[in-house]
Amino acid sequence: MAYYNSNFNSLKENYLFIDIAKKIKQYQSENPDKTLIRMGIGDVTLPLAPVVVEALKKGADEMGQKETFKGYEDSGKGYMFLREAISKYYKSFGANVYPDEILISDGAKSDCGNIVDIFSEKNVVLVTDPAYPVYVDSNIMSGKKIIYASSNEENGFAAMPDKNVDCDIIYLCSPNNPTGSVYTKEQLEEWVNYARDMRAIIIFDAAYEAFIQDDSLPRSIYTIKGARECAIEICSLSKTAGFTGMRCGYTVIPNELCAYTVDFEGASVSSLWSRRQGSKFNGVAYPIQCAAAAVFTKEGIKQTRENIAYYMENARIMTETCDELGIKYTGGKNSPYIWLKCPNGMGSWEFFDFLLNEIQVVGTPGEGFGPNGKGWFRLTAFGSRENTMEAMSRLKNLLKK
Amino acid sequence: MAYYNSNFNSLKENYLFIDIAKKIKQYQSENPDKTLIRMGIGDVTLPLAPVVVEALKKGADEMGQKETFKGYEDSGKGYMFLREAISKYYKSFGANVYPDEILISDGAKSDCGNIVDIFSEKNVVLVTDPAYPVYVDSNIMSGKKIIYASSNEENGFAAMPDKNVDCDIIYLCSPNNPTGSVYTKEQLEEWVNYARDMRAIIIFDAAYEAFIQDDSLPRSIYTIKGARECAIEICSLSKTAGFTGMRCGYTVIPNELCAYTVDFEGASVSSLWSRRQGSKFNGVAYPIQCAAAAVFTKEGIKQTRENIAYYMENARIMTETCDELGIKYTGGKNSPYIWLKCPNGMGSWEFFDFLLNEIQVVGTPGEGFGPNGKGWFRLTAFGSRENTMEAMSRLKNLLKK
């Protein structure tokens, strides 16, 4: 008899987005004349940069000609032209990451979820609260114990290590989804030292690095001394270059990174991951890798950063509105997310209903990302300028009443 | 301290392709004037069909325009236009599979490897010997017990169920990689009945279905009565349409398929897989899905079947040669693989060296796919016509000596 993985019974059904969809549906059926402004979804809206489209089409043409057709990519780890481009990009902000340490994937979510395969169920996993739900769910599915580090108003929603707490695997995300907070160099140094002391491994989610405007903030954990001995970095082109519908990311595993048996025997994490991927993954489509490489050209960086500047101007308008209204928030300065404290002591869902009913603006209740999100609310800067301005204008009118 | 998954220690290092590469390298350095004919690799060589390239470029253009840009695909399960096209394709050979049961993936290897996540480590997994190594390795990594069903010369390398053997998960591949054998309707019925009697689940790998020439042979397990209650089918466009470098496949999970707890409580396999993919996968690139949908248009089927006909003519030339030389083999009639018994009682590696040294033809020693492959050898029909004819001509000269 086929038995299912009983760890799945321990997963909490996340009804957040289902409940949001239900509430929206009901509101729309009762108010067919009203138009909603959606500021809840973490998806981009601007099209791919021209240089990226061009590279994708060139890759397509190559696939149509016998002389340039590409079948399986031998390594499954990504074409060297792309890995070299990413290595060069890392160098541009002071992180030394070699091409053979960069593994091309179909997105940060896949690697973030699949990386659990190489780790023992004996590990105690530290996740910040609130956090991107994938960290929690993928570890529950594989039977690992999860403990939480509190991100809260007091620490600016940037949880710091507690030396009295033991753990083996640590998930960090900076700039953070959902809170928009960004670790400083000193804060990341503290995490790296903590991890090294315990021989723990940090899984560092850098999916939003391209939104950092303040050059003193670290774009990669590898700008921190010692990180190569304790950290995996997972990154994505989803937000950097509008690749949410293109599916391409990259994971960095330094050659010196080790994991251990209970008898303290070390094994190369890079080898473990290669073995895993060798059996369960066959690389990313060649035309998609061509498009990804175009992102890292001079023109590609220029064009994609123009899109990010557009979103960051939205974020500026949003934080300006919060400042004006005296709403507390984190994020929005170096991140596309604004994480705000619901005004007048409202709960997350209460504020959700309030915005939906009063000004037809949809956001995301913070408690969907963990208990510490109660009373907080996430807005994203990925909308159009017009909608963002309209939503903020309505919010001002509503709260100034 | 970060502990790694100790199941990885139980993986056998598969040195097959490494050893092949080493031997080739050595031969070439010693014989720089000789040109090798490679008939070992299971990769296609013909370019993408024109209709596919066109659809890929159209999808690329859409991604470059604000009005038609696509971000995350809501469900992550694949666009309905593609799932409907595949459902229609299934109907064309008599299998009822509904669009909502078809899940688009980045290839059969990913789904084949990742499906283990939803099953308990309590399951006893039945794999044929020889077999595609992914079935074995993905189950070892996740700590499941594996038993083997013997495919051998006596049963035409098409293992059949043994009612005295209990198991919970069953991997079948037809047309088979590496042996090229294809299950008849009656044989698959026997497997389906066996699985249903035990409430086991069959994972049916149909990656080579498009190579079936004999219409009486089943292209899908869902042409068999009762299969919807006991089988998952995994398929791919890699060989159907030359997508090895494009990464797109599909997995079918019928709505009625259940897995169980030890207390016999059932759970929907479809829901388990959706939960798994919802946390660890974000769908396939929109332009790739556009290209995939083009495969299932009338013109797409015509163009891609022309490529398959090209490969099958290679296979015919190869089997004709084997017949002429009195070499025993399976496959080649409804499969791009010819699985042959090494002549004159040679071992797999002995025959490999013999072909390499005498006629510069490279194949794959059968024992790389399991112990029952000893003394057998795999050749593929994916080369050019010219190379295939030349290799067969050399083989005739060599063995007729």
Side-chain angles (χ1 to χ4, degrees):
Chain A
M1 190 165 76
Y3 302 107
Y4 70 88
N5 176 351
S6 59
N7 293 320
F8 276 62
N9 293 335
S10 306
L11 289 166
K12 281 188 200 130
E13 275 299 339
N14 195 331
Y15 292 113
L16 179 76
F17 289 99
I18 297 166
D19 287 347
I20 290 174
K22 267 188 205 160
K23 279 174 180 276
I24 290 173
K25 203 176 166 187
Q26 195 190 337
Y27 182 83
Q28 284 185 315
S29 73
E30 289 167 8
N31 302 275
D33 55 315
K34 298 282 173 72
T35 310
L36 300 183
I37 301 180
R38 291 168 189 268
M39 305 187 80
I41 304 163
D43 198 358
V44 297
T45 52
L46 292 174
L48 290 183
V51 68
V52 170
V53 174
E54 198 185 321
L56 179 55
K57 289 167 76 173
K58 190 166 170 286
D61 278 329
E62 288 180 47
M63 294 296 278
Q65 301 296 324
K66 196 167 171 49
E67 299 69 32
T68 48
F69 174 76
K70 304 278 187 300
Y72 291 123
E73 183 210 318
D74 277 348
S75 73
K77 295 176 179 179
Y79 283 98
M80 210 27 101
F81 65 80
L82 177 54
R83 300 162 81 184
E84 279 170 357
I86 295 170
S87 172
K88 213 175 122 195
Y89 175 65
Y90 266 109
K91 278 214 178 70
S92 75
F93 50 76
N96 263 334
V97 170
Y98 305 100
D100 71 327
E101 299 175 321
I102 298 166
L103 307 150
I104 308 306
S105 75
D106 63 324
K109 190 181 183 185
S110 304
D111 278 8
C112 223
N114 290 332
I115 198 88
V116 299
D117 282 6
I118 65 170
F119 294 115
S120 164
E121 75 285 357
K122 289 186 193 72
N123 290 294
V124 174
V125 176
L126 183 78
V127 176
T128 63
D129 168 21
Y132 179 48
V134 167
Y135 312 149
V136 175
D137 290 351
S138 59
N139 280 292
I140 290 178
M141 284 180 195
S142 57
K144 297 178 180 70
K145 187 187 167 188
I146 300 172
I147 59 174
Y148 293 90
S150 175
S151 291
N152 50 47
E153 194 173 349
E154 286 67 44
N155 61 27
F157 283 95
M160 292 304 296
D162 176 347
K163 283 185 181 166
N164 300 315
V165 172
D166 265 8
C167 69
D168 309 302
I169 310 277
I170 301 160
Y171 285 78
L172 298 178
C173 176
S174 177
N176 192 270
N177 174 18
T179 75
S181 65
V182 187
Y183 283 121
T184 64
K185 194 164 181 289
E186 293 69 29
Q187 288 176 319
L188 269 193
E189 278 167 357
E190 209 175 314
W191 275 111
V192 165
N193 292 336
Y194 169 73
R196 293 188 69 187
D197 283 350
M198 280 187 306
R199 297 197 182 203
I201 287 179
I202 296 172
I203 296 172
F204 189 76
D205 182 346
Y208 298 92
E209 61 80 14
F211 291 82
I212 291 177
Q213 309 293 306
D214 175 351
D215 283 339
S216 76
L217 294 171
R219 288 177 182 275
S220 162
I221 197 160
Y222 303 117
T223 58
I224 308 300
K225 206 185 152 200
R228 289 182 55 88
E229 285 89 52
C230 69
I232 292 168
E233 183 160 298
I234 294 177
C235 202
S236 166
L237 296 181
S238 285
K239 308 300 159 68
T240 301
F243 266 48
T244 51
M246 289 280 282
R247 313 310 314 140
C248 194
Y250 47 96
T251 290
V252 179
I253 304 184
N255 290 327
E256 51 266 59
L257 188 66
C258 282
Y260 300 88
T261 64
V262 284
D263 306 320
F264 305 97
E265 279 173 48
S268 149
V269 173
S270 172
S271 300
L272 291 164
W273 183 240
S274 288
R275 193 70 172 86
R276 191 269 173 213
Q277 293 292 78
S279 292
K280 299 194 187 189
F281 186 61
N282 235 332
V284 171
Y286 172 72
I288 300 291
Q289 293 195 54
C290 294
V295 171
F296 297 100
T297 59
K298 202 176 160 193
E299 188 56 29
I301 289 175
K302 183 177 163 287
Q303 290 179 8
T304 54
R305 292 300 147 115
E306 279 166 13
N307 288 358
I308 287 179
Y310 178 93
Y311 297 133
M312 290 311 292
E313 174 60 14
N314 286 347
R316 193 197 60 74
I317 292 165
M318 293 159 74
T319 56
E320 192 180 65
T321 304
C322 289
D323 288 336
E324 207 178 313
L325 293 168
I327 295 174
K328 286 188 183 171
Y329 64 91
T330 54
K333 308 291 188 197
N334 297 283
S335 150
Y337 295 123
I338 286 95
W339 177 253
L340 58 88
K341 191 171 186 175
C342 302
N344 309 322
M346 275 189 261
S348 294
W349 277 110
E350 196 183 349
F351 190 58
F352 176 90
D353 290 333
F354 183 64
L355 292 190
L356 175 63
N357 291 315
E358 299 297 326
I359 59 170
Q360 294 78 52
V361 169
V362 179
T364 312
E367 59 192 272
F369 302 98
N372 276 4
K374 274 180 195 167
W376 291 75
F377 201 77
R378 191 188 78 170
L379 291 177
T380 82
F382 290 121
S384 68
R385 178 82 78 253
E386 193 190 350
N387 281 347
T388 303
M389 290 175 73
E390 174 62 23
M392 290 304 109
S393 159
R394 291 185 196 173
L395 187 67
K396 278 191 242 182
N397 287 335
L398 177 70
L399 293 178
K400 278 184 176 168
K401 265 180 197 168
Chain B
M1 190 166 77
Y3 302 106
Y4 70 88
N5 176 351
S6 58
N7 292 321
F8 276 63
N9 294 334
S10 306
L11 289 167
K12 281 188 198 131
E13 276 299 340
N14 194 331
Y15 291 115
L16 178 76
F17 289 99
I18 299 167
D19 287 346
I20 290 174
K22 268 188 203 159
K23 278 175 180 275
I24 290 174
K25 202 176 166 187
Q26 195 190 335
Y27 182 82
Q28 285 183 315
S29 75
E30 289 167 7
N31 303 274
D33 53 318
K34 298 281 173 74
T35 308
L36 299 184
I37 301 180
R38 291 168 190 267
M39 305 187 80
I41 302 162
D43 198 357
V44 297
T45 51
L46 293 173
L48 290 182
V51 68
V52 170
V53 174
E54 198 185 320
L56 180 55
K57 289 167 75 174
K58 190 167 171 285
D61 277 328
E62 288 179 46
M63 294 295 280
Q65 301 297 324
K66 196 167 171 47
E67 299 70 30
T68 48
F69 174 76
K70 305 278 186 299
Y72 292 122
E73 183 211 319
D74 277 347
S75 72
K77 296 176 179 179
Y79 283 98
M80 212 24 102
F81 65 80
L82 177 54
R83 300 163 81 185
E84 279 170 357
I86 295 170
S87 172
K88 213 176 122 195
Y89 175 66
Y90 266 109
K91 278 213 179 70
S92 76
F93 50 77
N96 263 335
V97 170
Y98 306 99
D100 71 326
E101 300 175 323
I102 297 166
L103 307 150
I104 309 305
S105 74
D106 64 324
K109 190 180 183 185
S110 304
D111 278 8
C112 223
N114 290 332
I115 199 87
V116 299
D117 282 7
I118 64 170
F119 294 115
S120 164
E121 75 284 359
K122 288 186 194 73
N123 289 294
V124 173
V125 176
L126 183 78
V127 177
T128 63
D129 167 21
Y132 179 47
V134 166
Y135 311 148
V136 175
D137 289 351
S138 59
N139 279 292
I140 290 177
M141 284 179 195
S142 57
K144 297 177 181 71
K145 186 187 168 189
I146 301 172
I147 58 173
Y148 293 90
S150 174
S151 292
N152 51 48
E153 195 174 351
E154 286 67 46
N155 60 28
F157 283 96
M160 293 304 296
D162 176 347
K163 282 184 182 169
N164 299 314
V165 172
D166 265 9
C167 70
D168 309 302
I169 311 275
I170 301 159
Y171 285 78
L172 298 178
C173 176
S174 176
N176 191 270
N177 174 17
T179 73
S181 65
V182 187
Y183 282 121
T184 63
K185 193 164 182 290
E186 293 69 30
Q187 288 176 320
L188 268 193
E189 277 168 356
E190 208 175 314
W191 274 112
V192 165
N193 292 336
Y194 169 73
R196 293 188 70 187
D197 283 349
M198 280 187 308
R199 296 197 182 202
I201 287 178
I202 296 172
I203 296 171
F204 189 76
D205 183 345
Y208 298 92
E209 61 82 14
F211 291 83
I212 291 177
Q213 309 293 307
D214 174 352
D215 282 340
S216 76
L217 295 171
R219 288 176 181 276
S220 161
I221 198 162
Y222 302 117
T223 58
I224 308 300
K225 206 183 151 202
R228 288 182 56 89
E229 286 87 52
C230 70
I232 292 168
E233 183 161 297
I234 294 178
C235 203
S236 166
L237 296 182
S238 284
K239 308 299 159 66
T240 301
F243 267 47
T244 51
M246 289 280 282
R247 313 308 316 137
C248 193
Y250 48 96
T251 290
V252 178
I253 304 185
N255 290 326
E256 52 265 59
L257 188 66
C258 281
Y260 300 88
T261 64
V262 283
D263 308 318
F264 306 97
E265 277 173 51
S268 149
V269 173
S270 172
S271 300
L272 292 163
W273 182 242
S274 288
R275 193 69 174 86
R276 190 271 172 210
Q277 293 292 78
S279 292
K280 299 194 184 188
F281 186 61
N282 235 331
V284 171
Y286 172 71
I288 300 291
Q289 293 196 54
C290 293
V295 171
F296 297 100
T297 60
K298 202 176 159 193
E299 187 57 29
I301 288 175
K302 183 176 162 287
Q303 291 179 7
T304 53
R305 293 299 148 115
E306 280 167 12
N307 288 357
I308 287 179
Y310 178 94
Y311 296 133
M312 290 312 291
E313 174 60 13
N314 287 345
R316 194 197 59 75
I317 292 165
M318 294 159 73
T319 55
E320 193 180 64
T321 305
C322 289
D323 288 336
E324 207 178 313
L325 293 168
I327 294 175
K328 285 189 184 168
Y329 64 91
T330 55
K333 309 290 188 194
N334 296 283
S335 150
Y337 296 123
I338 286 95
W339 178 252
L340 58 88
K341 191 171 187 176
C342 301
N344 309 324
M346 276 189 260
S348 295
W349 278 111
E350 196 184 346
F351 190 57
F352 176 90
D353 290 334
F354 183 63
L355 292 190
L356 176 63
N357 292 316
E358 299 297 325
I359 58 170
Q360 294 78 51
V361 169
V362 179
T364 311
E367 60 193 89
F369 302 97
N372 275 4
K374 274 181 193 165
W376 291 74
F377 201 76
R378 191 189 78 170
L379 292 177
T380 82
F382 291 121
S384 69
R385 178 82 79 254
E386 192 190 351
N387 281 346
T388 303
M389 289 175 75
E390 174 62 23
M392 290 304 108
S393 160
R394 291 186 196 172
L395 187 66
K396 277 190 244 184
N397 286 335
L398 177 69
L399 293 178
K400 277 184 178 168
K401 264 181 198 167

